[in-house]
Amino acid sequence: MRLEKLQASSAYSPMSGWAVSARQQIDEYLDALLHFPNPSRVNEAMRYSVLGGGKRIRPMLALAVADYLGTRPTGLMHVACAIEMIHSASLILDDLPCMDNDRMRRNRPSTHAVYGEDCAILASVSLLMHCHAMLASHPDLPPEVRLKTIRLLCETIGADGLSLGQYIDLSSRSTPLQSSATAGAHHLKTGILFLAAAKAACLLCDATPEQSEKITVYATSLGLAFQLKDDLADVGEPGLNLAAAMGVSSARQQFLDHLETASDAIGDDDDAGVLRDFAEALLD
Ligand code: GRG
């Protein structure tokens, strides 16, 4: 399929009705999931980090995959929002002085800058626990789907997933990586959570193995393209940067290659419109 198709005008562009309404639904759902009758300081820090204006890309991807599969099962918003909580928990940790040491996030002070390092770490751990507990206890998710989803999320976060990606990123600051290893770390730091959002939607929507395979390739390529786009904008700044490691023009070409792979995976029939438009809006 030609790349132009992926870049065609988008009903799902950031300002489209679909995206605006999906984001609003996600924001409202997250707010309700993080309602604590007698909030402690840790609860406040959890709310501060999650409800602080993220783009909600990962939960929106889960909704877009479900739309592609033609169903929005009960429990989908729960799972989509659990993934956003994991994303927020990872950003709290990433901003800490022992990691990226960033006092600003989303144009406002990062969680530890407001609540202190102790409270920020506890908020991150509590968010991770909260999302697993709420999935484990969701009455409308069949037990097998609950178990498989929780396992998927644990593997995504753990020592072979996000945590490893972050460790590789941090260690690369003293020992620079080859570009092939940087690409692997990219997948673990960013792509893996895109993939988890897509796979979780496949689980809930009972996708066929063939559909799951297509969506896996699509989400993996999208995650890699997303991180490359970020790196292209950040060349020259400290930290792991694939565009800097491989050279800007090769990185641009690889970005287009990932888009093409994503586009080819889902094909060009009408059903794939939602995923095509989502990719176009994300990577515009
Ligand atoms: C135990 C959850 C956990 C994680 C441990 C700290 C860590 C390992 C991982 C962090 C990895 C990291 C910071 C990846 C960067 C991901 C990324 C591209 C963030 C920006 O995503 P956007 O643009 O952000 O979607 P918004 O603000 O829109 O949500």
Side-chain angles (χ1 to χ4, degrees), residues 90-228:
S90 79
L91 297 182
I92 296 176
L93 297 180
D94 187 52
D95 289 337
L96 288 171
C98 61
M99 299 215 184
D100 252 17
N101 192 17
D102 215 327
R103 291 188 67 81
M104 294 296 287
R105 161 82 53 193
R106 297 171 176 158
N107 298 317
R108 62 181 198 158
S110 45
T111 306
H112 72 272
V114 176
Y115 291 92
E117 285 177 47
D118 48 0
C119 197
I121 292 170
L122 295 173
S124 175
V125 173
S126 302
L127 278 172
L128 297 175
M129 296 302 114
H130 186 61
C131 79
H132 292 312
M134 78 194 197
L135 289 179
S137 57
H138 194 295
D140 296 331
L141 292 172
E144 202 193 335
V145 172
R146 282 189 223 172
L147 211 56
K148 284 186 173 169
T149 308
I150 291 171
R151 179 178 173 183
L152 168 69
L153 299 186
C154 289
E155 288 174 352
T156 298
I157 298 166
D160 292 324
L162 265 180
S163 298
L164 177 59
Q166 179 76 351
Y167 179 73
I168 297 173
D169 184 341
L170 295 171
S171 348
S172 75
R173 294 166 197 200
S174 50
T175 317
L177 294 176
Q178 301 285 338
S179 57
S180 56
T182 307
H186 259 189
H187 173 66
L188 292 173
K189 266 194 71 180
T190 304
I192 204 164
L193 210 44
F194 278 60
L195 190 54
K199 280 186 166 176
C202 285
L203 267 173
L204 256 77
C205 300
D206 211 13
T208 64
E210 198 195 13
Q211 288 169 324
S212 299
E213 176 55 30
K214 285 182 187 178
I215 290 167
T216 294
V217 175
Y218 166 85
T220 305
S221 308
L222 201 66
L224 290 169
F226 181 75
Q227 184 62 56
L228 256 180

Side-chain angles (χ1 to χ4, degrees), residues 54 85 169 215 258 276:
M85 286 186 201
D169 184 341
I215 290 167
H258 288 316
R276 263 198 316 270

